[in-house]
Amino acid sequence: MTWSTAPAVATPRMMARVLATFYIAAAIAGLFAVFGPGARAEGRWQIFGMVLLVLVCGTAAFRWGPYWPRRVFHLPVASASALVACVVLISPDPATAVAAAAVLSFVAVDACFFFSLRLAWLHLAFGITAVTAALMAQGDVPVSIALGLDAIIVALGTVVRGLVIRASSASRDPLTGLANRRGFDDGLQELLANAGRTGERLTAALLDLDHFKQINDTAGHEAGDLVLCRIADVWRRELPTGAVLSRHGGDEFALLLPGTTGPDALELVRRIAALHPEIGLSVGLAEHHRDQSAADLMRRADRALYDAKAAGRGRAELEGGPGSELARDLEAALAAGDVEVHYQLIVALADGATVGVEALSRWTHPERGPLPPAEFVAVAEHSGLIATLGAHVLRTACRQLAGVRTPAGEQVTLGVNVSGRELSDPDYAQRVHAVLAETGFPAGHLVLEVTENLIEGQSPTAVAALHELRAAGLKVSIDDFGTGYSSLSRLDTLPADVLKLDRSFVATLSTSPRRAQMLTSLVAMCRGLGLDVVAEGVETAEQEAAVRGVGCSFAQGWLYGRAVPLPELLAGLRPGAAALPQEAASRG
């Protein structure tokens, strides 16, 4: 925010309130001047007529001002200067004239608050010239008094502008110069109020830079800052007047497009995004529905953003578009039992023996074919279907693997991923117990895999559910360890039995001696705490040797096989396949 631009806090609603307040205050001052003690009767009724006009103008500004475009405010501000000059001319004595001229300070505040620096000075120049000329026409007002009053008015306007610019900067992102979250929220409330009164269309959008973290990690934060400024410059230049663009923080931007329908906004966003093809952007849009709250509008835009990411990133989606269609298709597939469960082996590094499997969902879309799990799981997460998907995988896997043995004759241990939304449901633990009772799967061989961030979030309901299930014999695994805010000091307090190292550790283990040393210490610590350690993403013999070298007990990855459906799993287990009851095999 600079001195030359119009202050960001000068919204139509705020401008209308300030203008109306000053008009009404000027009218009250006029009434005291002509009807107060010691007031002279000369020119009284002419001034009273102007007071009534000022009251009407103040009332109109208060009632309809919030709906005026910014340019309309030039008329009442300029008119106020003219009215002050007229009152000065017809004042019955020098004292009244000077008092009336002092009302020009209201105009100075309005001009410096409402407009850009150039236009503010034009208003000040017009007002000071007109009022000074009127004072001189009085004949009895010394020039020194008039010039002193002018200096006070200019100083007052300058100070007010400085304070307003400072206040505006509190609503601005210092890096890009865009509105920050506070400025966006103010603009959203303003536009929603206007839409509620006038019925004007309004579309909101959330913008997210694709793979921005990689830019910071590989090229440094200065390069990341340049990318953010580039985005801000392009969008600020191309957006229509009245649009509100903000940076919420990090690589997240938000946009409001008043007077724009959802389809038109989608076309505009796609056109602007094409101007910086080197910077991928995912965008979710939602058009405001009448009587909808700000939170609901932004929640719909957020859902559309995740639809855009799930559809492959680098695209813009309108809420209710293809991403929502994918959610409806997924819901139908879950109802029809068309989402399959595949299994990936987990082996003991000591002898290569299979000890367990992880259950993974797989879905073949009727039109698009097999979809990446990351795509439809994200859709499930943000469409409210994740609990249904999780329940389907848990029940199917427990039913299919009840009684299945490893080649060594032990019950296969089953790992099932659990979302935060599932764990936050107070009835989740009870439902797990019901599934175990229904399928006969032994609780001691079921491992619930939760992400590190979920446990770090310390949801009381989720943590209580984990403690309850562990008390019943189930095990808990911290999945993807190392991708969140890892805290070694909390390993002894987490409700967990297994630590699964993220594949990013495994991929760099053989090339980074420092990382190997760090993992050796971590694994030793886990062993001391009674935690088993599983290395994810093992794809080569070299990686297997590396994770064995740092002390990991178990491993999982393509080296031991991809996720396969039940018949292929049973064929691979061989000796254990015969132990599977025939009726269970037929159900699989």
Side-chain angles (χ1 to χ4, degrees):
M1 175 58 62
T2 64
W3 273 71
S4 61
T5 58
V9 294
T11 62
R13 176 183 293 183
M14 183 59 67
M15 294 164 72
R17 289 177 178 175
V18 172
L19 185 69
T21 299
F22 284 166
Y23 260 84
I24 294 172
I28 294 172
L31 290 175
F32 279 121
V34 296
F35 292 109
R40 297 174 59 176
E42 183 180 350
R44 171 178 295 175
W45 297 109
Q46 293 94 324
I47 296 177
F48 180 69
M50 291 187 178
V51 166
L52 292 180
L53 176 61
V54 169
L55 280 173
V56 171
C57 291
T59 303
F62 186 81
R63 175 64 180 83
W64 293 288
Y67 313 115
W68 294 345
R70 184 181 296 271
R71 62 180 180 274
V72 172
F73 285 89
H74 289 289
L75 179 61
V77 172
S79 298
S81 296
L83 284 170
V84 171
C86 290
V87 172
V88 170
L89 276 175
I90 62 176
S91 293
D93 53 67
T96 303
V98 172
V103 176
L104 188 65
S105 59
F106 292 169
V107 176
V109 171
D110 285 344
C112 292
F113 181 13
F114 295 172
F115 310 123
S116 66
L117 184 61
R118 181 175 60 85
L119 294 175
W121 280 112
L122 284 175
H123 276 286
L124 275 177
F126 169 70
I128 288 174
T129 300
V131 171
T132 302
L135 285 172
M136 295 300 95
Q138 271 280 334
D140 296 327
V141 178
V143 175
S144 59
I145 297 297
L147 294 178
L149 183 61
D150 293 342
I152 292 173
I153 290 172
V154 170
L156 179 62
T158 303
V159 170
V160 166
R161 186 168 187 85
L163 293 173
V164 171
I165 294 298
R166 183 66 179 269
S168 296
S169 66
S171 300
R172 291 277 150 181
D173 172 54
L175 175 64
T176 62
L178 300 176
N180 58 18
R181 187 180 293 272
R182 173 182 173 184
F184 178 83
D185 290 342
D186 291 342
L188 177 57
Q189 294 299 332
E190 188 81 30
L191 291 174
L192 283 178
N194 185 56
R197 295 187 182 96
T198 65
E200 182 182 50
R201 297 292 186 93
L202 173 64
T203 298
L206 290 174
L207 300 77
D208 195 36
L209 271 66
D210 296 330
H211 311 300
F212 182 72
K213 185 177 183 298
Q214 293 181 7
I215 298 176
N216 281 334
D217 291 344
T218 59
H221 288 279
E222 290 186 2
D225 289 347
L226 290 175
V227 169
L228 295 173
C229 291
R230 159 81 170 150
I231 291 292
D233 291 342
V234 170
W235 285 73
R236 185 163 37 208
R237 183 177 65 246
E238 298 295 329
L239 286 171
T241 303
V244 177
L245 179 63
S246 74
R247 180 188 174 211
H248 275 195
D251 61 342
E252 298 177 355
F253 294 82
L255 173 64
L256 297 173
L257 292 168
T260 308
T261 64
D264 289 343
L266 179 62
E267 182 179 352
L268 173 66
V269 164
R270 287 175 173 172
R271 179 183 65 79
I272 300 177
L275 298 177
H276 49 76
E278 75 283 4
I279 305 173
L281 202 65
S282 296
V283 186
L285 302 94
E287 183 176 347
H288 176 249
H289 296 161
R290 190 170 184 84
D291 298 327
Q292 185 180 50
S293 69
D296 288 338
L297 174 62
M298 299 315 299
R299 190 177 298 113
R300 290 173 52 226
D302 184 58
R303 187 161 56 241
L305 174 61
Y306 277 97
D307 289 343
K309 291 182 177 180
R313 297 181 179 268
R315 57 195 299 157
E317 295 289 347
L318 180 64
E319 195 262 346
S324 297
E325 293 178 8
L326 189 62
R328 289 192 291 270
D329 292 343
L330 177 59
E331 184 176 17
L334 286 169
D338 292 336
V339 177
E340 299 179 349
V341 178
H342 288 194
Y343 304 94
Q344 187 173 38
L345 296 179
I346 299 174
V347 303
L349 285 170
D351 55 10
T354 298
V355 295
V357 295
E358 179 181 357
L360 300 167
S361 56
R362 295 292 185 265
W363 179 33
T364 300
H365 191 274
E367 296 177 0
R368 296 174 54 185
L371 294 181
E375 180 174 346
F376 68 82
V377 170
V379 170
E381 184 73 48
H382 298 284
S383 62
L385 292 173
I386 192 65
T388 304
L389 176 61
H392 169 73
V393 172
L394 175 64
R395 179 173 286 102
T396 302
C398 287
R399 174 173 54 82
Q400 290 182 343
L401 297 186
V404 175
R405 305 283 176 177
T406 68
E410 298 289 335
Q411 166 69 48
V412 167
T413 296
L414 170 63
V416 178
N417 292 285
V418 183
S419 72
R421 184 169 299 182
E422 290 179 275
L423 275 177
S424 296
D425 184 342
D427 297 327
Y428 178 72
Q430 182 179 351
R431 288 203 302 272
V432 172
H433 292 314
V435 169
L436 294 177
E438 172 191 336
T439 61
F441 193 89
H445 287 272
L446 180 59
V447 181
L448 301 179
E449 300 192 5
V450 298
T451 63
E452 173 191 356
N453 287 339
L454 187 152
I455 297 181
E456 190 73 29
Q458 290 285 339
S459 166
T461 303
V463 174
L466 291 176
H467 281 297
E468 178 182 344
L469 291 167
R470 289 186 74 216
L474 283 77
K475 293 182 172 57
V476 175
S477 171
I478 305 176
D479 199 12
D480 300 330
F481 185 82
T483 58
Y485 299 99
S486 308
S487 178
L488 299 180
S489 64
R490 294 190 63 244
L491 284 178
D492 63 332
T493 62
L494 296 176
D497 307 278
V498 181
L499 196 70
K500 296 187 78 173
L501 295 178
D502 184 68
R503 63 182 63 248
S504 61
F505 278 104
V506 175
T508 59
L509 191 57
S510 60
T511 60
S512 174
R514 294 187 64 183
R515 175 156 291 192
Q517 182 59 50
M518 178 183 69
L519 286 184
T520 300
S521 301
L522 173 62
V523 172
M525 183 185 300
C526 289
R527 284 182 171 175
L529 295 172
L531 298 175
D532 289 326
V533 180
V534 180
E536 294 184 292
V538 178
E539 300 180 2
T540 66
E542 182 183 16
Q543 290 176 346
E544 181 185 54
V547 297
R548 184 186 291 112
V550 299
C552 291
S553 305
F554 305 97
Q556 176 182 353
W558 288 353
L559 179 63
Y560 315 105
R562 296 174 180 263
V564 296
L566 180 65
E568 293 184 38
L569 172 68
L570 298 179
L573 294 177
R574 291 191 193 91
L580 177 68
Q582 291 300 314
E583 61 271 21
S586 64
R587 288 198 301 266

Coordinates of all heavy atoms in Angstrom, one line a residue, residues 100-143:
A100 N -17.6 28.5 9.8 CA -18.1 27.7 8.6 C -17.0 27.2 7.8 O -17.0 26.1 7.3 CB -19.1 28.6 7.8
A101 N -15.9 28.1 7.6 CA -14.8 27.6 6.8 C -14.1 26.5 7.4 O -13.5 25.6 6.7 CB -13.8 28.8 6.6
A102 N -14.1 26.3 8.7 CA -13.4 25.2 9.4 C -14.1 23.9 9.1 O -13.4 22.9 9.2 CB -13.5 25.5 10.9
V103 N -15.3 23.9 8.7 CA -16.0 22.7 8.3 C -15.3 22.0 7.1 O -15.4 20.8 6.8 CB -17.5 23.0 8.0 CG1 -18.2 21.7 7.5 CG2 -18.2 23.5 9.3
L104 N -14.5 22.8 6.3 CA -13.8 22.3 5.2 C -12.8 21.2 5.7 O -12.4 20.4 4.9 CB -13.0 23.4 4.5 CG -12.3 23.0 3.2 CD1 -13.3 22.6 2.1 CD2 -11.4 24.1 2.7
S105 N -12.5 21.1 7.0 CA -11.6 20.1 7.5 C -12.3 18.7 7.3 O -11.6 17.7 7.0 CB -11.3 20.3 9.0 OG -12.5 20.3 9.7
F106 N -13.6 18.6 7.3 CA -14.3 17.4 7.0 C -14.1 17.0 5.6 O -13.9 15.8 5.3 CB -15.8 17.6 7.2 CG -16.2 17.8 8.7 CD1 -17.5 18.2 9.0 CD2 -15.3 17.6 9.7 CE1 -17.9 18.4 10.3 CE2 -15.7 17.8 11.0 CZ -17.0 18.2 11.3
V107 N -14.1 17.9 4.7 CA -13.8 17.6 3.3 C -12.4 17.1 3.1 O -12.1 16.1 2.4 CB -14.0 18.8 2.4 CG1 -13.6 18.6 0.9 CG2 -15.5 19.3 2.5
A108 N -11.4 17.7 3.8 CA -10.0 17.2 3.7 C -9.9 15.8 4.2 O -9.2 15.0 3.6 CB -9.2 18.2 4.6
V109 N -10.6 15.4 5.3 CA -10.5 14.1 5.8 C -11.1 13.1 4.8 O -10.6 12.0 4.5 CB -11.3 13.9 7.1 CG1 -11.4 12.5 7.6 CG2 -10.5 14.7 8.2
D110 N -12.3 13.5 4.2 CA -13.0 12.6 3.2 C -12.1 12.4 2.0 O -11.9 11.3 1.6 CB -14.3 13.3 2.7 CG -15.4 13.1 3.8 OD1 -15.2 12.3 4.7 OD2 -16.4 13.9 3.7
A111 N -11.5 13.5 1.5 CA -10.7 13.4 0.3 C -9.5 12.5 0.5 O -9.1 11.7 -0.4 CB -10.3 14.8 -0.2
C112 N -8.8 12.7 1.6 CA -7.6 12.0 1.9 C -7.8 10.5 2.3 O -7.0 9.7 2.1 CB -6.7 12.7 2.9 SG -6.1 14.3 2.4
F113 N -9.0 10.3 2.7 CA -9.4 8.9 3.1 C -9.9 8.1 1.9 O -9.6 6.9 1.7 CB -10.5 9.0 4.2 CG -11.0 7.7 4.7 CD1 -10.3 6.5 4.5 CD2 -12.1 7.6 5.5 CE1 -10.8 5.3 5.0 CE2 -12.6 6.4 6.0 CZ -11.9 5.2 5.7
F114 N -10.7 8.8 1.0 CA -11.4 8.1 0.0 C -10.6 7.8 -1.3 O -10.8 6.7 -1.9 CB -12.7 8.8 -0.4 CG -13.7 9.0 0.6 CD1 -14.8 9.8 0.4 CD2 -13.6 8.3 1.8 CE1 -15.8 10.0 1.4 CE2 -14.6 8.5 2.8 CZ -15.7 9.3 2.6
F115 N -9.8 8.7 -1.7 CA -9.3 8.7 -3.1 C -7.8 8.6 -3.1 O -7.1 8.6 -2.1 CB -9.7 10.0 -3.8 CG -11.1 10.4 -3.6 CD1 -11.5 11.6 -3.1 CD2 -12.1 9.5 -4.0 CE1 -12.9 11.9 -2.9 CE2 -13.4 9.8 -3.9 CZ -13.8 11.0 -3.3
S116 N -7.3 8.4 -4.4 CA -5.8 8.3 -4.6 C -5.2 9.7 -4.3 O -6.0 10.7 -4.2 CB -5.6 8.0 -6.1 OG -6.0 9.0 -6.9
L117 N -3.9 9.7 -4.1 CA -3.3 11.0 -3.7 C -3.5 12.1 -4.7 O -3.8 13.3 -4.2 CB -1.8 10.7 -3.5 CG -0.9 11.9 -3.0 CD1 -1.4 12.3 -1.6 CD2 0.5 11.6 -3.0
R118 N -3.5 11.8 -5.9 CA -3.7 12.9 -6.9 C -5.1 13.5 -6.9 O -5.3 14.7 -6.8 CB -3.4 12.3 -8.3 CG -3.6 13.3 -9.5 CD -3.2 12.7 -10.8 NE -4.0 11.6 -11.1 CZ -5.2 11.7 -11.7 NH1 -5.7 12.8 -12.0 NH2 -5.9 10.6 -12.0
L119 N -6.1 12.6 -6.8 CA -7.5 13.1 -6.7 C -7.7 13.8 -5.4 O -8.5 14.7 -5.3 CB -8.4 11.9 -6.9 CG -8.4 11.3 -8.3 CD1 -9.3 10.1 -8.4 CD2 -8.8 12.3 -9.4
A120 N -7.1 13.3 -4.3 CA -7.3 13.9 -3.0 C -6.8 15.3 -3.0 O -7.5 16.3 -2.5 CB -6.6 13.1 -1.9
W121 N -5.6 15.6 -3.6 CA -5.1 16.9 -3.7 C -5.9 17.8 -4.6 O -6.1 19.0 -4.3 CB -3.6 16.9 -4.2 CG -2.7 16.5 -3.1 CD1 -1.9 15.4 -3.0 CD2 -2.4 17.3 -1.9 NE1 -1.2 15.4 -1.8 CE2 -1.4 16.6 -1.2 CE3 -2.8 18.5 -1.4 CZ2 -0.9 17.0 0.1 CZ3 -2.3 19.0 -0.2 CH2 -1.4 18.3 0.5
L122 N -6.5 17.3 -5.6 CA -7.4 18.1 -6.5 C -8.6 18.5 -5.7 O -9.0 19.7 -5.8 CB -7.9 17.2 -7.7 CG -6.8 17.0 -8.8 CD1 -7.4 16.1 -9.9 CD2 -6.5 18.4 -9.4
H123 N -9.2 17.6 -4.9 CA -10.3 18.0 -4.0 C -9.9 19.1 -3.0 O -10.6 20.1 -2.8 CB -10.9 16.8 -3.3 CG -11.9 16.0 -4.1 ND1 -13.1 16.5 -4.4 CD2 -11.7 14.8 -4.7 CE1 -13.8 15.5 -5.1 NE2 -12.9 14.5 -5.3
L124 N -8.7 18.9 -2.4 CA -8.3 19.9 -1.4 C -8.0 21.2 -2.1 O -8.4 22.3 -1.5 CB -7.0 19.4 -0.8 CG -7.1 18.5 0.4 CD1 -5.8 18.0 0.9 CD2 -7.9 19.2 1.6
A125 N -7.4 21.2 -3.3 CA -7.1 22.5 -4.0 C -8.4 23.2 -4.3 O -8.5 24.4 -4.1 CB -6.3 22.2 -5.2
F126 N -9.4 22.5 -4.8 CA -10.7 23.1 -5.1 C -11.4 23.7 -3.9 O -11.8 24.8 -3.9 CB -11.6 22.1 -5.8 CG -13.1 22.5 -5.9 CD1 -13.4 23.5 -6.8 CD2 -14.1 22.0 -5.1 CE1 -14.7 24.0 -6.9 CE2 -15.4 22.4 -5.2 CZ -15.7 23.4 -6.2
G127 N -11.4 22.9 -2.8 CA -12.1 23.4 -1.6 C -11.4 24.5 -1.0 O -12.0 25.5 -0.6
I128 N -10.0 24.5 -0.8 CA -9.3 25.6 -0.2 C -9.4 26.9 -1.0 O -9.6 28.0 -0.5 CB -7.8 25.2 0.0 CG1 -7.7 24.1 1.1 CG2 -7.0 26.4 0.3 CD1 -6.3 23.6 1.3
T129 N -9.4 26.7 -2.4 CA -9.5 27.9 -3.2 C -10.8 28.5 -3.1 O -11.0 29.8 -2.9 CB -9.2 27.5 -4.7 OG1 -7.9 26.9 -4.8 CG2 -9.4 28.7 -5.6
A130 N -11.9 27.7 -3.1 CA -13.3 28.3 -3.0 C -13.5 28.9 -1.7 O -14.1 30.0 -1.6 CB -14.3 27.1 -3.3
V131 N -13.1 28.2 -0.6 CA -13.4 28.8 0.7 C -12.6 30.0 1.0 O -13.0 31.0 1.6 CB -13.2 27.7 1.8 CG1 -13.3 28.2 3.2 CG2 -14.3 26.6 1.6
T132 N -11.3 30.0 0.6 CA -10.4 31.1 0.8 C -11.0 32.4 0.1 O -11.0 33.5 0.6 CB -9.0 30.8 0.4 OG1 -8.5 29.7 1.1 CG2 -8.1 32.0 0.6
A133 N -11.4 32.1 -1.2 CA -12.0 33.2 -1.9 C -13.3 33.8 -1.3 O -13.5 35.0 -1.2 CB -12.3 32.7 -3.3
A134 N -14.1 32.9 -0.7 CA -15.3 33.3 0.0 C -14.9 34.1 1.3 O -15.6 35.1 1.6 CB -16.1 32.1 0.4
L135 N -13.9 33.7 2.0 CA -13.5 34.5 3.2 C -13.0 35.8 2.8 O -13.3 36.8 3.5 CB -12.3 33.7 3.9 CG -12.8 32.5 4.7 CD1 -11.5 31.7 5.2 CD2 -13.6 32.9 5.9
M136 N -12.2 35.9 1.7 CA -11.7 37.2 1.2 C -12.9 38.1 0.8 O -12.9 39.3 1.0 CB -10.7 37.0 0.1 CG -9.4 36.3 0.5 SD -8.5 37.2 1.8 CE -9.0 36.3 3.2
A137 N -13.9 37.5 0.2 CA -15.1 38.3 -0.2 C -15.8 38.8 1.0 O -16.6 39.8 0.8 CB -16.0 37.4 -1.0
Q138 N -15.7 38.2 2.1 CA -16.3 38.7 3.3 C -15.8 40.1 3.7 O -16.5 41.0 4.2 CB -16.0 37.8 4.5 CG -17.0 36.7 4.7 CD -18.3 37.2 5.4 OE1 -18.3 38.1 6.2 NE2 -19.4 36.5 5.1
G139 N -14.5 40.4 3.4 CA -13.9 41.7 3.6 C -13.4 41.9 5.0 O -12.5 42.7 5.1
D140 N -13.9 41.3 6.0 CA -13.4 41.5 7.4 C -12.6 40.4 7.9 O -12.2 40.5 9.1 CB -14.7 41.7 8.3 CG -15.5 42.9 7.9 OD1 -14.9 43.9 7.4 OD2 -16.7 42.9 8.0
V141 N -12.3 39.4 7.1 CA -11.4 38.3 7.6 C -10.0 38.5 7.1 O -9.7 38.6 5.9 CB -11.9 37.0 7.1 CG1 -11.0 35.8 7.5 CG2 -13.4 36.7 7.6
P142 N -9.0 38.7 8.0 CA -7.6 38.9 7.6 C -7.1 37.8 6.8 O -7.5 36.6 7.0 CB -6.9 39.0 8.9 CG -7.9 39.3 10.0 CD -9.2 38.7 9.5
V143 N -6.2 38.1 5.8 CA -5.6 37.1 5.0 C -4.8 36.1 5.8 O -4.8 34.9 5.5 CB -4.7 37.7 3.9 CG1 -4.0 36.7 3.1 CG2 -5.5 38.7 3.0

